[in-house]
Amino acid sequence: MDMSGEYRIPAPREVVWKALNDPDVLRRSIPGCEEVVAKSADELEATVSAAVGPVKARFKGKVKLMDLNPPVSYRLVGEGSGGPAGFAKGEAAVRLAQDGDFTVLSFDAKAQIGGKLAQIGSRLIDGTARKMADEFFSRFCEIAAGARAAEVQAVKPAAAAAAAGGGGGLSPLVWVGGLIVAGLVVLGLLLAYG
Amino acid sequence: MANTEGMGASPRRKEDQRFLIGKGRYVDDIDVPHQAYGYFVRSPYAHAKILGVDIAAAAAMPGVIRILTGADVVADKLGGLICGWMIHSKDGSPMKAPPHPILAHDKVRYAGDHVALVVAETKAQAKDAGEAVVVDYEELPAVVNLATAQSAGAAQIHSEVPRNTSFEWELGDKAGTEAALAKSARVITFDLINNRLVPNPMEPRAALGVYDAGTDSFTLYTTSQNPHVARLVLSAFVGIAPEHKLRVVAPDVGGGFGSKIFIYAEETACLWASKKVGRPVKWTCERGEAFLCDAHGRDHRSHAELGMDENGRFTALKVKTVANMGAYLSTFASAVPTYLSVPLLAGQYATPVIYAEVDAVFTNTAPVDAYRGAGRPEATFLLERIVDIAADETGIDPAELRRRNFITTFPYQTPVALQYDVGDYNASMDKALEIADYAGFPARKAEAAKRGKLRGIGLSAYIEACGVAPSKLAGQLGAGVGLYESAQVRFNPTGNVQVFTGCHSHGQGHETTYAQIISEVLGVPIDAVEVVHGDTSSVQFGMGTYGSRSGSVGGSAARKAAEKIVEKAKKIVAFRFECAAGDIEFDDGVFTVAGTDKKMSIQEVAFAAYVPHNYPLDELEPGLNESAFYDPLNFTYPAGTHICELEVDPDTGVTTIVNWTAVDDFGRLINPMIVHGQVHGGIAQGIGQALLEGCIYDEESGQLLTGSFMDYCMPRADDLPSYKVDFTETACSHNPLGVKGCGEAGAIASPPAVINALCDAIGCRDITMPATPEKVWRAVQAKRRPLAAE
């Protein structure tokens, strides 16, 4: 699964970069995030619990920051286990560009899922993951923008291309899988900034 | 008096009574006291090292009795699963058959590979604990793509198998074929993929292993097409117990299609666990698990070259196939792309020279083995497609091109090992063309065009080799077993009959057809005949049901045993009437002494046989109970022509099959109604392969993407037409029934007929299976675009 997105944040690049380094900002931005722990300068662990309808799942993920080039870009490589539902791993390249008094955040993310997630939910996971990525960025941008939150623009929201895949009748596993993947991608993005 | 229930009659299926009222007895219906439940922990990775398995937390969970891992298998020195057919490479080296452990120990090799067995008081507890088993994996690159699996850069799945290649095999005259191709007026080339399929029998696999400490013996209730072969493998190779301490029962089984021939890890592990745990262990496969771990079918990539002279006569055929074996060699996997496929490349045609090479390649996917047709659909698809392409490229009508090349004299020795005994390919094609109104097709096409539909017609003139035989030849070709069948016919004192067969019925209707064979020979009503199968403790021995062998081989054994009954009965009658056995005549259940009015019904003889108060025991033994082993002299060669007529909606790419004509030569028919059913089911599966079904693994990660019915499309009634099924008959020359196999023919004949019709409708050279609406739509657009540009 590949996804990408672009957001305009009304804050200087350094501020955005710093926010991405703040585990507390990350925790508040990740939907369902219970905990973000910096294990080292370039390694984070997070626990995210997510629920859709009646299904609730908790997953643990680890993200490593690579190719750090503050405050311009980095790459995040993450891996998470959803226990019986399988696993997910992902990679995201994040770039920050200054544009006047705005910062343009863009990302390209790639995720792979395995086990029951892949077997049952592969074609339905994209939409869920994009929706969660969007939710993360909306919250993050608001926090980073502070008083100017109203000026945040989603230039290319991650979810725009992914309206499909919803609807009733999806098995719980699909939802759980989607959440895990979404969580990982989001987590990866957060960590990258961290 | 004519027998209305014998060969050729269509009485209703005796077994249907219990199926229709819900009284079938399948493995999952069987419960035994103190039974526990098993759950398998499976690898989420396609290829990974197992660094450790931590069962501590899981073992402490409620209801958990024991958790077994690969380490336990090693400690118990349990043998692995085997592949029963030895293939030798071109260079004479034996195929590489790496170990296939009951539970993975050092490595997992496909997503779904079994790592641990959790045994608990309930199914839910076993499953919960299974989810708490922590396996530490180190992921390795997965080998998925058949086209690159043999390259130097691909990961190596088994340390002892370089280039992931189990064997490189050949059959036929290479030099002669290449020389003939070089001299041919025209050479048609064709590259194709025979798509991978998931078998999906209605009943998933299940096992119940029971150990009796009192007698130190085991019973395995299992979904098997061949319980005696299962017992043989479990006893001789896995080493669970000697045969006299091991009973294998395959009760009612809800469809197999080949996938229940094989000896799998799960059934084996349940049996083994029952002794280790001291409790019976039951496992019922879930549908999602079945997708992951039932042996899949097909999955060949081939390149073919067909030479032709200036008159459209085939001069030579050369084929190179790469066959996907999956992660391990399953029970008959090596035979499928080789001896079960390549000998069929002659088809119905007198092609003078044929040469084929087959590479068998490991990938990080579920094992691949026989699936309805097993090798023969692959060969037939290749041949009937390339013949149609040849017709298109030469401008010769597809029916006419086939006729020009038909074999017309029998017996016929093909250049690829088989000797066809009888056949009349023109007869089946003539009849099919007539029923399908082939001549009227252009008018129907024009009418469809007015409605905006693209109409196409496609032929498939197939041949099949059924009932692998004889044992002598099979052994020479590498089979680890003989391929005879056994039967025992036992009259009980009051005149009813039990027939014990080593074949197994899981949809084929043997309880009816075998009774008809017995009725034909012994003149008893079929209701007085019980067919017993599927239990090693009641049936003497047998090789099971697969490869359309049960009628021709198992049925012939039953007939042979019944004929021995008649001979024995004549001795009893002769004793009773004080005449010579040679003077006794037998017809429709009644013995008469020639030239007299003395007679005895076979029921009276049966009673007399068991009440031997005055027998001369040194000359005449009591009882009326005979057994026979029948080893066929040759394969049987059913053949025929199927014609598919379909319409494509160019706007949506949706294909609708509008007419289907099947004319098959199965020799004599035992029960035409059942044969019709077999043909219907086979065509449905073939249409499924052609239009709907395709098993897809992610090329990079090796994850199964089509792992449920949401993503794997099975044919449904509304995808299928009403078939026109008819027959021609050339009786098989070498079995006493004159029958040929009919179980797989539909699945063999149909895929090329569909794709030939589609290519005809669209006007394209090829379209890959499954020809989904998306592919069809793209093919239609590709044809339209250049026209639009003009």
Side-chain angles (χ1 to χ4, degrees):
Chain A
M1 177 187 67
D2 296 313
M3 57 197 257
S4 59
E6 196 177 304
Y7 297 83
R8 276 171 67 83
I9 307 168
R13 185 156 70 172
E14 284 71 18
V15 172
V16 175
W17 183 266
K18 213 177 140 200
L20 286 168
N21 276 294
D22 183 343
D24 188 53
V25 174
L26 299 181
R27 186 185 56 74
R28 285 157 59 203
S29 304
I30 301 173
C33 184
E34 294 176 357
E35 191 181 43
V36 175
V37 182
K39 300 301 279 186
S40 68
D42 60 356
E43 219 177 74
L44 284 171
E45 268 183 24
T47 306
V48 175
S49 116
V52 171
V55 179
K56 197 165 182 181
R58 175 182 287 173
F59 56 95
K60 283 179 186 283
K62 250 188 225 169
V63 174
K64 248 187 127 92
L65 310 187
M66 308 180 76
D67 308 335
L68 277 161
N69 179 22
V72 182
S73 66
Y74 53 77
R75 202 157 56 85
L76 315 160
V77 181
E79 203 176 302
S81 168
F87 67 89
K89 53 187 187 174
E91 209 183 303
V94 181
R95 294 166 302 278
L96 297 181
Q98 188 83 47
D99 182 12
D101 60 350
F102 279 78
T103 298
V104 178
L105 180 157
S106 58
F107 74 92
D108 289 293
K110 205 182 187 171
Q112 202 182 74
I113 50 175
K116 281 182 192 164
L117 290 181
Q119 192 192 345
I120 299 176
S122 50
R123 76 164 58 187
L124 295 157
I125 264 162
D126 291 28
T128 315
R130 287 197 173 91
K131 187 167 162 277
M132 286 198 68
D134 242 11
E135 222 173 298
F136 163 74
F137 281 112
S138 314
R139 292 196 203 176
F140 173 79
C141 293
E142 273 178 40
I143 297 170
R148 295 174 63 196
E151 295 169 52
V152 171
Q153 295 172 347
V155 184
K156 275 194 274 172
L170 301 186
S171 85
L173 270 176
V174 173
W175 288 110
V176 174
L179 288 169
I180 289 169
V181 172
L184 276 170
V185 172
V186 171
L187 182 62
L189 288 166
L190 289 166
L191 289 166
Y193 285 96
Chain B
M1 188 177 73
N3 185 332
T4 56
E5 294 183 330
M7 294 270 296
S10 288
R12 290 200 172 179
R13 294 183 359 143
K14 285 156 60 81
E15 45 270 80
D16 283 346
Q17 173 67 13
R18 70 176 184 277
F19 296 142
L20 291 173
I21 65 171
K23 294 292 180 189
R25 186 167 169 266
Y26 299 86
V27 173
D28 194 51
D29 295 324
I30 299 170
D31 290 310
V32 294
H34 310 298
Q35 165 183 304
Y37 293 84
Y39 174 78
F40 286 90
V41 177
R42 298 183 181 280
S43 169
Y45 295 99
H47 195 195
K49 274 189 199 161
I50 300 176
L51 302 179
V53 182
D54 182 358
I55 60 169
M61 288 179 65
V64 175
I65 299 166
R66 179 117 187 225
I67 299 175
L68 297 167
T69 68
D72 296 303
V73 173
V74 173
D76 280 15
K77 298 190 174 66
L78 218 54
L81 302 174
I82 58 148
C83 178
W85 197 302
M86 171 55 74
I87 298 292
H88 286 86
S89 284
K90 289 174 236 182
D91 65 6
S93 62
M95 70 183 184
K96 295 184 180 70
H100 187 177
I102 307 303
L103 292 170
H105 186 46
D106 54 339
K107 249 179 135 183
V108 286
R109 294 183 173 87
Y110 65 99
D113 207 350
H114 21 77
V115 177
L117 168 60
V118 180
V119 180
E121 297 291 343
T122 70
K123 208 184 272 189
Q125 286 172 331
K127 213 169 167 180
D128 283 347
E131 293 178 351
V133 171
V134 180
V135 184
D136 188 7
Y137 294 104
E138 180 188 321
E139 199 186 355
L140 299 168
V143 179
V144 179
N145 190 332
L146 208 46
T148 54
Q150 294 174 284
S151 66
Q156 194 167 318
I157 298 169
H158 297 277
S159 57
E160 59 275 64
V161 187
R163 295 173 52 244
N164 296 316
T165 304
S166 175
F167 58 80
E168 293 166 297
W169 175 87
E170 65 179 352
L171 186 70
D173 175 0
K174 183 180 186 185
T177 303
E178 286 173 351
L181 282 173
K183 281 191 295 183
S184 295
R186 186 191 285 263
V187 176
I188 312 290
T189 63
F190 180 44
D191 290 279
L192 72 152
I193 292 172
N194 202 287
N195 47 325
R196 185 179 181 115
L197 303 175
V198 181
N200 284 316
M202 195 179 289
E203 179 208 19
R205 288 192 287 128
L208 172 58
V210 182
Y211 174 69
D212 180 345
T215 56
D216 188 30
S217 63
F218 291 84
T219 301
L220 175 65
Y221 299 91
T222 181
T223 46
S224 175
Q225 300 179 213
N226 31 235
H228 287 89
V229 176
R231 187 183 63 167
L232 180 64
V233 171
L234 292 169
S235 186
F237 296 96
V238 183
I240 299 241
E243 282 141 314
H244 68 299
K245 295 287 185 187
L246 173 56
R247 174 184 174 203
V248 176
V249 183
D252 282 330
V253 172
F257 311 111
S259 73
K260 291 172 182 167
I261 298 171
F262 322 121
I263 320 306
Y264 288 94
E266 290 88 350
E267 290 85 331
T268 307
C270 287
L271 188 61
W272 165 65
S274 68
K275 182 176 180 182
K276 287 195 84 71
V277 172
R279 299 267 298 270
V281 178
K282 186 184 213 175
W283 166 77
T284 303
C285 190
E286 295 183 4
R287 185 59 68 182
E289 274 184 298
F291 271 97
L292 283 175
C293 65
D294 281 5
H296 294 172
R298 318 284 191 255
D299 207 351
H300 292 184
R301 293 178 79 95
S302 298
H303 171 78
E305 297 174 26
L306 175 67
M308 301 170 79
D309 68 14
E310 48 289 327
N311 298 316
R313 295 224 158 67
F314 305 149
T315 55
L317 177 66
K318 189 180 169 193
V319 174
K320 168 72 194 267
T321 291
V322 180
N324 198 342
M325 297 286 104
Y328 302 97
L329 281 187
S330 175
T331 315
F332 284 113
S334 56
V336 173
T338 53
Y339 289 112
L340 295 181
S341 188
V342 168
L344 276 297
L345 286 172
Q348 300 187 354
Y349 312 114
T351 312
V353 277
I354 298 175
Y355 173 71
E357 293 174 283
V358 178
D359 289 2
V361 174
F362 290 111
T363 59
N364 291 117
T365 62
V368 180
D369 206 326
Y371 172 67
R372 201 170 192 171
R376 291 152 290 174
E378 293 91 322
T380 302
F381 185 74
L382 182 151
L383 187 63
E384 287 305 290
R385 285 288 297 122
I386 201 168
V387 165
D388 238 50
I389 292 170
D392 194 46
E393 293 188 4
T394 55
I396 302 171
D397 177 84
E400 165 59 20
L401 181 64
R402 285 175 168 86
R403 273 190 214 285
R404 273 187 212 177
N405 288 284
F406 274 165
I407 293 160
T408 52
T409 53
F410 295 89
Y412 177 82
Q413 177 64 49
T414 75
V416 273
L418 298 178
Q419 192 184 72
Y420 301 165
D421 61 334
V422 291
D424 186 345
Y425 308 141
N426 276 305
S428 47
M429 177 169 278
D430 287 346
K431 198 165 184 179
L433 293 176
E434 189 195 320
I435 293 171
D437 185 22
Y438 190 69
F441 175 73
R444 296 194 295 277
K445 188 177 176 76
E447 185 276 330
K450 281 187 204 152
R451 290 183 280 113
K453 297 284 164 60
L454 305 172
R455 194 165 174 123
I457 195 163
L459 276 71
S460 168
Y462 77 97
I463 188 161
E464 184 191 356
C466 302
V468 178
S471 291
K472 184 179 170 188
L473 174 68
Q476 285 165 358
L477 301 182
V481 290
L483 288 153
Y484 52 82
E485 195 44 77
S486 82
Q488 189 184 349
V489 175
R490 181 198 293 165
F491 256 101
N492 294 316
T494 60
N496 48 72
V497 183
Q498 286 173 296
V499 183
F500 300 81
T501 172
C503 288
H504 186 276
S505 186
H506 36 278
Q508 292 83 352
H510 298 168
E511 290 168 45
T512 308
T513 50
Y514 281 46
Q516 289 182 256
I517 292 168
I518 296 305
S519 174
E520 169 101 0
V521 180
L522 300 179
V524 292
I526 62 170
D527 281 344
V529 181
E530 184 203 18
V531 177
V532 180
H533 65 90
D535 186 342
T536 59
S537 72
S538 46
V539 175
Q540 55 292 339
F541 201 71
M543 300 313 299
T545 286
Y546 40 81
S548 304
R549 68 190 302 275
S550 298
S552 63
V553 188
S556 292
R559 183 177 172 106
K560 208 173 147 185
E563 284 169 347
K564 287 186 182 178
I565 289 276
V566 173
E567 291 314 303
K568 170 74 187 286
K570 281 183 177 172
K571 288 185 193 166
I572 295 170
V573 177
F575 169 72
R576 167 80 178 274
F577 292 125
E578 296 175 335
C579 63
D583 293 338
I584 311 291
E585 289 169 351
F586 179 63
D587 181 44
D588 199 26
V590 180
F591 293 90
T592 48
V593 181
T596 73
D597 61 355
K598 292 175 179 170
K599 61 182 173 181
M600 240 180 128
S601 74
I602 195 160
Q603 290 82 3
E604 289 170 322
V605 177
F607 189 77
Y610 288 97
V611 189
H613 295 315
N614 57 350
Y615 277 19
L617 294 174
D618 49 343
E619 289 165 30
L620 186 61
E621 291 177 13
L624 196 52
N625 181 13
E626 297 288 338
S627 58
F629 280 66
Y630 175 76
D631 199 329
L633 298 168
N634 194 351
F635 292 79
T636 69
Y637 299 99
T641 294
H642 284 218
I643 300 177
C644 171
E645 194 166 332
L646 50 74
E647 286 186 1
V648 168
D649 182 333
D651 297 326
T652 62
V654 170
T655 300
T656 307
I657 295 174
V658 291
N659 279 317
W660 194 284
T661 306
V663 176
D664 298 292
D665 175 358
F666 296 133
R668 284 190 72 196
L669 306 183
I670 300 171
N671 181 320
M673 177 193 71
I674 286 178
V675 175
H676 271 262
Q678 287 279 21
V679 172
H680 284 209
I683 297 170
Q685 274 173 300
I687 291 173
Q689 171 166 27
L691 296 180
L692 306 164
E693 300 180 49
C695 173
I696 310 289
Y697 282 90
D698 183 81
E699 290 249 329
E700 203 182 317
S701 67
Q703 294 296 330
L704 177 64
L705 299 180
T706 50
S708 77
F709 289 132
M710 288 192 296
D711 294 298
Y712 187 93
C713 184
M714 294 287 283
R716 304 187 306 185
D718 63 353
D719 295 311
L720 306 169
S722 217
Y723 311 114
K724 293 173 194 153
V725 176
D726 211 327
F727 306 100
T728 57
E729 184 182 315
T730 59
C732 174
S733 66
H734 56 78
N735 67 49
L737 302 172
V739 302
K740 307 175 187 179
C742 71
E744 297 160 294
I748 294 169
S750 52
V754 175
I755 301 299
N756 286 342
L758 256 182
C759 291
D760 180 52
I762 301 169
C764 59
R765 187 179 199 260
D766 190 27
I767 187 161
T768 57
M769 298 191 290
T772 58
E774 182 193 349
K775 280 188 204 162
V776 170
W777 184 85
R778 287 183 192 284
V780 171
Q781 299 309 311
K783 289 300 289 184
R784 278 180 166 180
R785 220 167 286 130
L787 291 175
E790 276 167 13

